[in-house]
Amino acid sequence: MLDLFRHPFFSLTCHVVWVLLLAGCSRQEPSAADPQSGVSAANDSSNADAATGPAGEHDSVVTTAESLPGGFVGTATCAECHPARFDSYKQTHHSRSLHLPSADDGPTGLAFHHLPSHRSYQVKRVGQEVVHCEDRYFGDSPQTADTFRIAERPVEYVMGSGAFAKAYLVRDGDYLLQSPVTWYTAKDGYAIAPGYDNPRQRGFNRVIDDRCLYCHAGILSLENENPNTPTIHELAIGCERCHGQGAEHTAIYRQASQQGADAEVGDSKIVNPSKLDRRRSESICAQCHLDSDVVVQAEGQTVWDFHPGEELVHNSLAYKAIGTGQPQKTFSNHFDQMWQSECYLQSETLSCVSCHDPHASQPPADQLTAFRKVCLDCHADQGCSQPIHQRQQTNGDACTACHMPRSPSEVPHASVTNHRIAIYLDDPSVEPLDESDVDDDAAMRRVALQPIPLTDQDLQRRDAIAAASWSILRSIEGDPEPVRQFDESRLVDLVNDKDAELLGLLADVYRRRADANSVGNPNAVDPVQLKRERDLSHFYAVKALRVETGPSKIRQAALETLADKMMIDQSFDQAVPLYEELTGIRRDARDWYNLALCYFPLRQMGKTEAALRAAIELDPSYVKPYASLARLYQSVDPQLAAQFQQLAQRLSQ
């Protein structure tokens, strides 16, 4: 019998249902002018040519009226009665948050090398399409002809306005994937995407689900409720994301128009943020501009259930990890910083729109005077302690230069304004909030304006979910200690047989803990405790699957937990339908590989071969399927087996 089972039986999936995965920290790439950077011109006929593709005035508000979800009318409909607002909207970054590729979205004929993962990337033009290519090179130097083509995919969407960067989305069947290639505006060139700067980065294998698109796409829907296969109805962030669904509003004014100029309108059925109190007005901005490590939704809700005019915490509560060793994120940390500013706390009116006009991205012609006026609205009678000649010499007498200094961020090639208004006397580049003295390296802090209008029971539930989710994420990232130390009684005390989220989370906690303990020191593993953890993961996963019948992230995680447990127990016939369901609702080469490992002992050789080849088709850099195919072909086609074995060995380098 072929020994296909000398492989880990658990996969470190990057999709955790309770965790908001934000772009991680990345090391800054060397300058394109640096000969050590590995940046080079690719063999393309036009190194300076701009990418071409379909582009038009309304690309960012592409809609299909008959297909819009109920209640929405689309930004183009709003433009019929509000043309001036629409014209100003087209100048904003929001209007370009997700768009079709055009000539302005980066040059072709360029390449760069990612040395940690031994991969090279090229951006080229094929006909009217912009294509991203990924190659694995062998040896110590990327300057070699010994390469292996991993992916070659046309760009379908550009994500990001270009204020800091542009990301690129490609398609594989029903799935949108993120390209590892990112254009950085400050660098004026391509480099590896945030979160990919590590030796084991996954290339073209990050599926962009509905949550990833939330802050970039205007309107979308889910076919069969699968978050991995969203249908985008309106590309960019449009009117209805800030003003609410417009169907009733449109109907009222169309009817009034038919009745004549004297028709009166009472409730316009639209949200005017300027009429809201500060907390609800800021919630509209915070739905995307509030940074966090974990976001916990209200029970039974998704981020798409938030409606302008509501207070965000009723839908989403954000958490940040604090304590020893936790990096401080700054790129989109504006709310957390502003809410801790004395200027904000002592004012009833200071908010985002005090400085930012949501209908215009272009800053005032005289920014210094405009922003100083905002400060002097409150500080006119309290002069600056620094002499005027010193202020003018140091920073041109700009209030924000001293009290809201710019500093580096965790996103490569991007510095940001610190929104904690304070007095920075020593080092203006240092984030003033210091939480590193917290002993618990997995402690979580709510990021919300106090007081939080939620019940103690709701807060207790969300706090427990946040702590568990963060410990799981840390485990996926290679640090198993938080999940080993997590007190699961916090979840057990709250769980009931109808709460699929808590049931699934408990299943995942026990599964990750068992995985962490099983790969530790074998002499330190208590087999009785290990069996208990795996049995409990099984128990809660079954309960979660009974409640969650749709293809949500909760069900996907529970299916994976249960399938892995069945395979470890060598109950392959029970694992097969679980993995088969997974392969039908998400795109992950590891699901196909594990399915092959279950088909084989059941002597379903044709299915074993097909599953291994499907894993390779999804991820040609995935080593294990090559090695397994080599063993599978060893007795029937030694030459083919040797080829697969050679590929496995080379890709393992």
Side-chain angles (χ1 to χ4, degrees):
M1 177 178 290
L2 300 181
D3 184 12
L4 289 180
F5 303 104
R6 293 178 181 174
H7 305 280
F9 289 130
F10 59 91
S11 57
L12 296 180
T13 177
C14 66
H15 302 294
V16 182
V17 61
W18 306 273
V19 181
L20 172 61
L21 293 180
L22 298 179
C25 299
S26 295
R27 184 173 68 235
Q28 180 166 320
E29 290 290 306
S31 167
D34 184 350
Q36 302 301 319
S37 69
V39 178
S40 63
N43 292 325
D44 190 284
S45 59
S46 178
N47 192 41
D49 284 350
T52 59
E57 184 180 25
H58 305 301
D59 281 347
S60 60
V61 291
V62 170
T63 59
T64 306
E66 62 269 21
S67 70
L68 286 173
F72 289 97
V73 296
T75 296
T77 297
C78 304
E80 294 175 10
C81 294
H82 306 280
R85 282 297 193 200
F86 180 66
D87 287 341
S88 66
Y89 157 81
K90 287 189 296 181
Q91 307 306 313
T92 68
H93 296 308
H94 286 151
S95 75
R96 299 184 294 277
S97 60
L98 186 71
H99 56 277
L100 303 176
S102 73
D104 298 326
D105 290 313
T108 58
L110 297 180
F112 69 91
H113 308 295
H114 185 239
L115 305 182
S117 64
H118 283 221
R119 301 192 189 200
S120 297
Y121 294 94
Q122 179 187 0
V123 180
K124 65 180 183 179
R125 184 175 62 241
V126 179
Q128 294 300 306
E129 293 183 320
V130 178
V131 177
H132 288 185
C133 303
E134 180 183 49
D135 292 286
R136 171 72 156 85
Y137 66 84
F138 302 99
D140 295 332
S141 172
Q143 307 300 334
T144 176
D146 190 6
T147 63
F148 176 70
R149 176 57 53 91
I150 296 174
E152 184 171 331
R153 298 188 179 278
V155 173
E156 182 159 335
Y157 298 117
V158 180
M159 187 158 64
S161 67
F164 293 97
K166 292 180 182 179
Y168 302 91
L169 306 186
V170 302
R171 181 172 293 282
D172 182 20
D174 293 333
Y175 301 99
L176 283 173
L177 313 175
Q178 181 177 348
S179 168
V181 176
T182 290
W183 175 269
Y184 293 99
T185 302
K187 177 184 174 68
D188 195 28
Y190 296 109
I192 200 70
Y196 286 74
D197 193 9
N198 62 79
R200 300 179 64 82
Q201 57 105 343
R202 297 192 61 199
F204 286 86
N205 286 292
R206 183 188 178 200
V207 174
I208 299 299
D209 60 19
D210 71 313
R211 184 62 187 88
C212 299
L213 288 168
Y214 181 72
C215 292
H216 293 275
I219 305 172
L220 61 75
S221 63
L222 299 180
E223 185 176 355
N224 300 322
E225 299 183 354
N226 188 341
N228 295 323
T229 56
T231 299
I232 301 173
H233 300 281
E234 181 165 283
L235 294 184
I237 301 297
C239 303
E240 288 166 292
R241 285 296 294 276
C242 296
H243 296 279
Q245 297 176 349
E248 287 187 276
H249 173 80
T250 302
I252 288 172
Y253 278 90
R254 283 177 174 168
Q255 182 177 3
S257 176
Q258 294 173 356
Q259 293 173 352
D262 296 333
E264 294 185 2
V265 174
D267 185 355
S268 66
K269 298 296 183 181
I270 204 72
V271 175
N272 184 344
S274 67
K275 304 296 184 182
L276 301 174
D277 63 61
R278 185 164 68 165
R279 295 178 71 121
R280 286 172 172 79
S281 175
E282 288 181 349
S283 290
I284 293 173
C285 305
Q287 62 178 310
C288 288
H289 292 280
L290 173 58
D291 196 8
S292 63
D293 293 303
V294 175
V295 171
V296 181
Q297 308 301 139
E299 185 173 358
Q301 290 192 21
T302 73
V303 290
W304 294 94
D305 291 314
F306 170 75
H307 299 288
E310 302 172 346
E311 192 163 344
L312 182 62
V313 292
H314 291 296
N315 170 264
S316 305
L317 185 55
Y319 291 81
K320 293 187 74 171
I322 60 176
T324 306
Q326 299 303 327
Q328 293 296 314
K329 293 184 177 180
T330 60
F331 182 72
S332 55
N333 198 30
H334 307 148
F335 273 101
D336 195 17
Q337 294 166 345
M338 182 175 69
W339 285 338
Q340 296 175 62
S341 303
E342 286 301 316
C343 285
Y344 180 89
L345 295 173
Q346 295 182 28
S347 168
E348 295 181 356
T349 59
L350 180 63
S351 70
C352 309
V353 295
S354 298
C355 299
H356 302 284
D357 182 352
H359 292 102
S361 287
Q362 293 299 323
D366 186 350
Q367 296 184 56
L368 188 150
T369 300
F371 292 139
R372 186 195 292 118
K373 181 181 182 303
V374 175
C375 299
L376 293 179
D377 284 345
C378 291
H379 294 280
D381 297 331
Q382 184 180 355
C384 183
S385 62
Q386 299 297 315
I388 182 63
H389 71 275
Q390 184 175 337
R391 302 200 307 265
Q392 290 176 338
Q393 182 178 4
T394 303
N395 52 50
D397 194 21
C399 303
T400 56
C402 281
H403 300 286
M404 299 178 66
R406 294 187 69 82
S407 59
S409 75
E410 70 276 10
V411 174
H413 319 294
S415 63
V416 293
T417 298
N418 193 323
H419 279 62
R420 188 179 190 192
I421 308 167
I423 299 174
Y424 298 81
L425 295 177
D426 298 322
D427 186 352
S429 68
V430 176
E431 164 66 32
L433 179 63
D434 184 6
E435 299 172 328
S436 61
D437 58 348
V438 179
D439 292 334
D440 185 355
D441 68 351
M444 306 300 293
R445 173 174 62 84
R446 302 170 191 151
V447 186
L449 191 62
Q450 303 297 325
I452 302 176
L454 299 175
T455 65
D456 291 343
Q457 183 178 3
D458 194 351
L459 284 173
Q460 185 182 7
R461 180 181 184 275
R462 297 206 205 187
D463 289 351
I465 290 175
S469 300
W470 181 243
S471 71
I472 290 172
L473 180 57
R474 291 287 298 276
S475 178
I476 292 172
E477 293 174 343
D479 180 8
E481 203 56 35
V483 81
R484 286 193 181 116
Q485 297 179 359
F486 176 72
D487 180 9
E488 66 272 16
S489 66
R490 299 179 63 181
L491 298 175
V492 174
D493 292 343
L494 298 169
V495 76
N496 62 70
D497 287 348
K498 294 183 179 180
D499 194 331
E501 185 172 12
L502 288 181
L503 292 167
L505 190 56
L506 268 168
D508 213 2
V509 165
Y510 282 117
R511 171 227 180 162
R512 302 285 176 184
R513 184 177 297 167
D515 290 345
N517 290 335
S518 65
V519 298
N521 183 357
N523 297 325
V525 175
D526 182 349
V528 175
Q529 178 66 16
L530 188 62
K531 182 178 185 304
R532 175 180 177 275
E533 290 165 350
R534 296 214 183 276
D535 287 345
L536 284 170
S537 73
H538 182 166
F539 174 78
Y540 285 111
V542 169
K543 282 182 171 289
L545 291 173
R546 288 173 180 166
V547 180
E548 189 67 29
T549 57
S552 68
K553 290 298 181 68
I554 295 173
R555 184 169 181 85
Q556 291 172 36
L559 283 169
E560 182 181 334
T561 295
L562 189 57
D564 287 359
K565 173 65 165 55
M566 294 294 96
M567 186 162 60
I568 291 171
D569 292 345
Q570 299 189 25
S571 299
F572 303 112
D573 57 333
Q574 297 181 53
V576 162
L578 302 173
Y579 283 126
E580 287 179 336
E581 182 177 345
L582 273 175
T583 59
I585 61 177
R586 73 182 191 185
R587 183 193 185 278
D588 195 322
R590 293 166 295 190
D591 294 335
W592 285 100
Y593 177 71
N594 288 338
L595 180 57
L597 296 184
C598 294
Y599 281 143
F600 181 79
L602 298 176
R603 299 187 180 278
Q604 299 181 28
M605 299 307 175
K607 289 185 176 181
T608 301
E609 179 188 17
L612 291 172
R613 288 185 173 274
I616 291 173
E617 184 177 355
L618 290 183
D619 184 1
S621 66
Y622 189 18
V623 175
K624 294 175 184 177
Y626 292 102
S628 294
L629 280 170
R631 295 190 183 99
L632 191 66
Y633 293 144
Q634 197 166 25
S635 60
V636 295
D637 192 336
Q639 184 176 0
L640 184 59
Q643 293 174 359
F644 276 106
Q645 186 60 40
Q646 183 183 23
L647 271 172
Q649 292 173 348
R650 285 164 61 78
L651 289 170
S652 298
Q653 296 175 4

